[in-house]
Amino acid sequence: MLRDVTSESVQDAESGVVPDVVALAKVVAKLRAENERLEHLASTTAVLERAKGVVMARSGCSTTAAYEELTRRARDSGRTLTEECWIALGDLPRGRAVPTARKALDGDGTRCTRGTAPDAGRGTRTGEDVLGGLGRALAGVTSLRELAERLLDHLAGPPVAADAVMIFLRTADGALELGGHAGTGATVAAQWAFVPPVGGIAALDVVRTGEAVWLEDPERDARRYHLIGEPARRWPTRAWLPVITGGTVTAALGVLRAVDAPFDPAVRELLRAVARLCAGGMRMCDAPPARPLARQADLVQAVFDALPGSAALLTPLRSPAGEVEDFRIDAAAPGSVDVAGRRAHQLVGLRVLECYPTMASATAWRGYLETLRTGRPYESEPFSYEEVVAGVRHRSVFSVRAAKLGDSLVVTWISHDTTARQRDLLSDLQRLGDLGWTDWNLATDTVTWSPQVHDILDRDRTLGPMTLEELQRHLLPEDLPSYARAVRSLLDDGTPLDHPFRITTTRGVKHLRVVAEAVPDAQGTPVEVHGVIQDLTARRRAELALRESQQAVMDQRDVLQAERLVAARLQHALLPLPGQSLILADLRVDVAYLPSHDDLSVGGDWYSAVEMPDGCVLFAVGDVAGHGIDAVATMAQLRFTAKGMVFTGSSLTGALQRLNTLLLHTPDGHGTATMVLGRYDPTERCLTWAQAGHMPPLLVRRGKPEYLTPPEGILLGATLRPSYREATCRIEPGDHLLLYTDGLVERPGEHLDDGLDRLTDTVRATYAAGGTGARDALLARLLPDEQRDDVCLLDIHLPPDSAQA
């Protein structure tokens, strides 16, 4: 809500609130007092944080409870809080004055050296001795590297016997960064400077679960975790403990030992207290703790840069007691603007209450704090806010939304101000419509463009706008005459202008449209021109591509129609259909051929039914793969070749073998076909037949349909070494034998068995009563409205009266 909040708020006089000047004076006084308080706190924060750490380590209490305990002690004893902090650190016996900052060292005024802890040589050290000395040493720490060194100084000796210390910081994306280390060596530190959020890392488990991890068996631990250091037994025992600040695990403290013995309960409790004490020390370390926040801000800013609208990342600034005192803006979307006109990056680094002090009493502020505490998003209803801008009252209506991200808030806001809303809608309209507005004051000869016009014309904004007359220099020569006439008519007579034209730009030729009207004075003379320029380049290109595509489709359709006409004529010449039933020997044969409903395709379905010189009858039904002239040519080749081979004495299987070889040696070499081939002997009333991957014949005897069991045979053109066999079937008087192509039974998306079952059911219903109309009734019931394939059907019938012949 940065855009709509200012440093002063105004309420109606009826509310009873003090006038604006008095309220502003109170705000200034409050800020001055707060500034003095913060300056005082800054001078004592270092000592206060270390003292809180000592109290936390000794009592196991929280940060807030430690602060309250120190405050209570100071109040009860009549001392200042700073004096009580030094007493807690052990540098000020009760009744002594507060030491200077130079005493923020070890008890004797000198820093400890590596491996030599305070009180070394004074006998066996207890956990209290370690915590007391460590608390005094941490008072002067300014970096995590120094913090790790002080920890190792005081943990190297008994009872811990630490050999190395590592401090990993948790980043916003769940990874770890090595903030400080001591005793590990530069190589190990470089290897583990950054740990991605993967499995098998003890320190990651600590920051995720908040529970300490104790590694005391290298062989077993190596099966679960990636152990730091080579070889793994360099540090046989390791402890990883969570460091909690502000109620959140922000770091993992690692204590690595060369001692090959488990951590006893007293040492474990001591290290937990050290981790709590370490939390206070980390608060005063400058750069490293800020790196996770900076990393988060960088990631959020990268997302903001790609988003429209107003959004900001607010990071809470807490008091020593952990209370939120203010929010700092760490990232802002490019469209974010505050009431002072500060935009995007100018907002980054500002504090909310310093810039907008009345926010502290706003409902949105309480919503921010609630979201930060509970993690539940906050969304306000649109509400009115009255503010003073340059001494003028201005009422704004807006709504805000806040969501928690880590320990920060992502805040977005929408202004419902009518003027701003209309301006935003106009900008969106221009962007989505590829258009922009222009004004031309003819009296002053000044031209104003919207930003979108510069983009449309590919014109540098520093060059300023052009008049309609200047624009003529960029037009294509063939468009110039008509454009000049239209502009002259607009300026001379006030005739509205709506004219398409083309211009040359750095990106090539653009198709534009200008719509303009003149505003006349009292005498009717045009004094101003309002207009809109629209970029039609994408539309014109799409229209041109569409016309080209349509023309290509029409050309292709003409070619296909011509090809179909030729194929259909060729098919009719090669495959004439009889006008009535054929009488072959003692059989009556009815033929049906129905082309598909596709006007542009001619199929390769065919048949042959002819009486042979020896009195037998040859039947053949086939289907060539594909459509068009090629399919018709292959059909003719198979039909005449099959008939010729059988007429000259070839067996049925022999003919199929040769037809397979013929297809394999066609020019394209990719043709395939199916076929059923049969020879009927009227003296025996026996049909001998063979097939090549074709639909099985359907025998209808006494109204009951039954498919003949097909002999072995693969479709033609599929293999060099096919195998074909023959089968026989006796024909009885009254029988119907149906030979057909797959167009009769196949349907898109349907299993072939379903089509074969449908054929038998339909035949059972249509042939039960007999009669000459059974074939036509069968076709009428089976064929769909949108027939996609050709259908060829031979109904071979032995009349009942043939029994007396």
Side-chain angles (χ1 to χ4, degrees):
M1 57 179 292
L2 301 176
R3 176 184 175 91
D4 301 289
V5 181
T6 181
S7 59
E8 34 182 331
S9 62
V10 177
Q11 296 182 344
D12 296 335
E14 294 85 349
S15 64
V17 181
V18 294
D20 300 337
V21 176
V22 177
L24 184 57
K26 287 187 175 182
V27 170
V28 173
K30 180 180 178 181
L31 289 175
R32 182 181 295 113
E34 180 68 8
N35 186 55
E36 293 174 354
R37 185 184 69 83
L38 292 175
E39 289 179 352
H40 175 70
L41 283 178
S43 63
T44 59
T45 299
V47 177
L48 174 62
E49 291 295 330
R50 295 339 178 253
K52 284 166 55 180
V54 171
V55 174
M56 291 166 57
R58 290 176 176 173
S59 63
C61 64
S62 65
T63 302
T64 302
Y67 178 78
E68 292 174 350
E69 174 63 18
L70 290 171
T71 304
R72 184 192 63 78
R73 291 180 188 178
R75 184 176 61 251
D76 293 346
S77 61
R79 289 185 287 270
T80 66
L81 180 60
T82 304
E83 290 175 335
E84 192 62 40
C85 289
W86 282 112
I87 291 174
L89 291 173
D91 274 4
L92 182 65
R94 298 181 185 276
R96 286 183 54 187
V98 178
T100 64
R102 292 192 303 272
K103 297 299 292 180
L105 304 171
D106 293 324
D108 56 358
T110 59
R111 296 190 185 273
C112 300
T113 58
R114 177 63 43 80
T116 305
D119 302 321
R122 303 180 189 174
T124 303
R125 293 192 306 161
T126 64
E128 287 289 326
D129 294 334
V130 174
L131 290 177
L134 186 57
R136 292 190 295 272
L138 296 185
V141 169
T142 59
S143 68
L144 287 180
R145 179 65 178 270
E146 188 178 358
L147 175 62
E149 292 174 350
R150 295 293 162 265
L151 288 172
L152 184 57
D153 287 343
H154 289 264
L155 299 180
V160 180
D163 191 59
V165 170
M166 303 181 78
I167 301 174
F168 280 108
L169 301 177
R170 184 179 189 174
T171 65
D173 52 1
L176 295 179
E177 288 184 353
L178 183 61
H181 61 91
T184 60
T187 301
V188 172
Q191 292 172 344
W192 292 84
F194 178 79
V195 180
V198 297
I201 305 296
L204 276 171
D205 281 358
V206 168
V207 298
R208 288 168 178 166
T209 64
E211 301 291 336
V213 174
W214 309 93
L215 305 180
E216 299 168 330
D217 185 341
E219 294 183 0
R220 181 190 62 193
D221 298 335
R223 291 193 292 269
R224 181 179 181 186
Y225 294 111
H226 298 285
L227 299 182
I228 296 176
E230 292 293 341
R233 297 195 65 85
R234 175 181 176 184
W235 295 300
T237 53
R238 309 150 189 252
W240 290 97
L241 305 106
V243 179
I244 302 174
T245 56
T248 304
V249 179
T250 58
L253 170 64
V255 178
L256 290 67
R257 306 192 309 175
V259 178
D260 191 5
F263 294 91
D264 59 50
V267 172
R268 292 192 177 196
E269 188 60 33
L270 172 61
L271 291 179
R272 289 191 178 96
V274 169
R276 292 193 292 269
L277 187 62
C278 186
M282 287 180 61
R283 289 179 178 270
M284 298 308 299
C285 297
D286 300 328
R291 290 178 65 190
L293 295 178
R295 186 183 184 91
Q296 173 178 272
D298 291 342
L299 293 174
V300 173
Q301 186 64 62
V303 176
F304 280 176
D305 289 342
L307 295 179
S310 301
L313 176 69
L314 304 185
T315 300
L317 305 176
R318 300 181 183 273
S319 67
E323 301 294 332
V324 176
E325 294 183 329
D326 204 344
F327 286 95
R328 184 182 64 243
I329 305 172
D330 283 343
S336 304
V337 185
D338 74 352
V339 72
R342 291 171 291 210
R343 294 178 176 271
H345 67 278
Q346 296 174 327
L347 298 171
V348 176
L350 299 181
R351 298 190 179 193
V352 174
L353 291 184
E354 288 182 358
C355 298
Y356 324 102
T358 55
M359 272 288 293
S361 60
T363 303
W365 182 266
R366 294 190 292 273
Y368 293 171
L369 298 180
E370 182 68 14
T371 297
L372 194 62
R373 184 179 65 84
T374 64
R376 291 193 298 269
Y378 165 75
E379 185 169 359
S380 73
E381 295 292 333
F383 60 93
S384 177
Y385 186 87
E386 197 171 78
E387 57 193 19
V388 174
V389 179
V392 179
R393 291 174 182 250
H394 179 71
R395 182 181 297 273
S396 300
V397 178
F398 61 93
S399 57
V400 298
R401 190 178 190 279
K404 189 174 183 181
L405 178 64
D407 194 37
S408 302
L409 293 179
V410 174
V411 177
T412 60
W413 63 96
I414 300 176
S415 173
H416 301 282
D417 179 71
T418 304
T419 303
R421 183 62 175 165
Q422 289 177 346
R423 184 171 57 250
D424 292 341
L425 289 176
L426 178 59
S427 177
D428 291 341
L429 175 64
Q430 293 182 78
R431 176 176 53 84
L432 296 175
D434 281 331
L435 53 84
W437 58 263
T438 175
D439 286 337
W440 183 11
N441 190 316
L442 301 178
T444 61
D445 197 28
T446 57
V447 180
T448 304
W449 281 359
S450 68
Q452 188 72 14
V453 176
H454 291 85
D455 297 336
I456 291 174
L457 299 179
D458 290 337
R459 183 175 174 84
D460 189 347
R461 298 187 184 185
T462 60
L463 299 177
M466 297 181 290
T467 65
L468 292 178
E469 293 177 328
E470 291 177 296
L471 189 60
Q472 299 182 36
R473 304 177 192 147
H474 300 275
L475 267 66
L476 295 185
E478 53 267 35
D479 293 348
L480 185 57
S482 60
Y483 176 83
R485 287 193 299 270
V487 171
R488 184 51 52 194
S489 179
L490 171 70
L491 298 178
D492 293 344
D493 307 326
T495 305
L497 173 66
D498 187 346
H499 191 77
F501 61 96
R502 293 168 295 172
I503 66 170
T504 55
T505 69
T506 56
R507 300 181 184 178
V509 175
K510 280 195 169 186
H511 295 259
L512 305 180
R513 175 194 180 197
V514 59
V515 179
E517 65 177 5
V519 179
D521 59 10
Q523 288 74 34
T525 303
V527 294
E528 192 171 2
V529 174
H530 301 317
V532 173
I533 295 179
Q534 185 176 16
D535 188 354
L536 303 178
T537 305
R539 184 185 305 177
R540 290 290 182 264
R541 290 174 179 170
E543 291 174 353
L544 179 60
L546 179 60
R547 285 197 298 268
E548 292 177 349
S549 177
Q550 290 174 337
Q551 186 60 46
V553 170
M554 294 177 63
D555 293 344
Q556 182 66 20
R557 185 177 184 86
D558 291 342
V559 171
L560 293 176
Q561 286 178 337
E563 180 179 318
R564 174 177 172 78
L565 181 60
V566 172
R569 290 177 178 177
L570 179 61
Q571 183 187 55
H572 182 71
L574 299 175
L575 192 67
L577 294 178
Q580 57 186 4
S581 299
L582 299 176
I583 304 300
L584 303 175
D586 55 354
L587 300 175
R588 187 184 79 238
V589 181
D590 292 307
V591 180
Y593 182 89
L594 290 88
S596 70
H597 293 172
D598 185 354
D599 294 337
L600 300 179
S601 296
V602 175
D605 294 23
W606 61 277
Y607 78 95
S608 183
V610 59
E611 190 169 349
M612 299 172 62
D614 60 0
C616 294
V617 181
L618 174 66
F619 295 106
V621 171
D623 187 2
V624 176
H627 294 80
I629 293 180
D630 291 341
V632 173
T634 303
M635 173 268 291
Q637 195 176 32
L638 293 177
R639 182 172 185 264
F640 292 114
T641 304
K643 184 163 56 173
M645 286 190 291
V646 176
F647 264 61
T648 56
S650 177
S651 66
L652 301 179
T653 56
L656 292 178
Q657 290 275 4
R658 292 177 175 83
L659 291 174
N660 180 77
T661 303
L662 178 66
L663 280 185
L664 289 174
H665 290 82
T666 54
D668 56 9
H670 300 295
T672 59
T674 65
M675 180 188 297
V676 59
L677 193 61
R679 185 205 306 264
Y680 173 72
D681 185 354
T683 60
E684 300 291 336
R685 291 184 174 170
C686 180
L687 176 72
T688 303
W689 65 290
Q691 63 89 27
H694 200 80
M695 301 287 104
L698 181 62
L699 177 65
V700 185
R701 178 168 292 167
R702 289 183 288 278
K704 179 181 178 181
E706 182 178 358
Y707 289 107
L708 300 184
T709 302
E712 180 183 359
I714 191 172
L715 79 164
L716 303 175
T719 179
L720 290 171
R721 296 179 179 81
S723 176
Y724 299 103
R725 296 184 182 275
E726 295 181 349
T728 58
C729 173
R730 296 193 62 83
I731 305 297
E732 297 181 2
D735 285 354
H736 287 267
L737 183 66
L738 303 183
L739 305 181
Y740 52 92
T741 57
D742 56 5
L744 188 65
V745 295
E746 285 186 345
R747 298 291 183 273
E750 183 181 76
H751 197 277
L752 181 60
D753 290 345
D754 296 334
L756 294 174
D757 293 341
R758 181 171 54 252
L759 175 59
T760 57
D761 294 341
T762 307
V763 166
R764 187 179 294 109
T766 56
Y767 279 75
T772 58
R775 183 201 63 185
D776 295 337
L778 173 69
L779 294 174
R781 292 180 123 183
L782 279 180
L783 297 182
D785 295 334
E786 292 294 331
Q787 181 185 333
R788 299 189 177 186
D789 198 3
D790 294 358
V791 173
C792 182
L793 172 65
L794 258 66
D795 183 356
I796 304 170
H797 176 52
L798 181 62
D801 55 5
S802 299
Q804 286 79 27

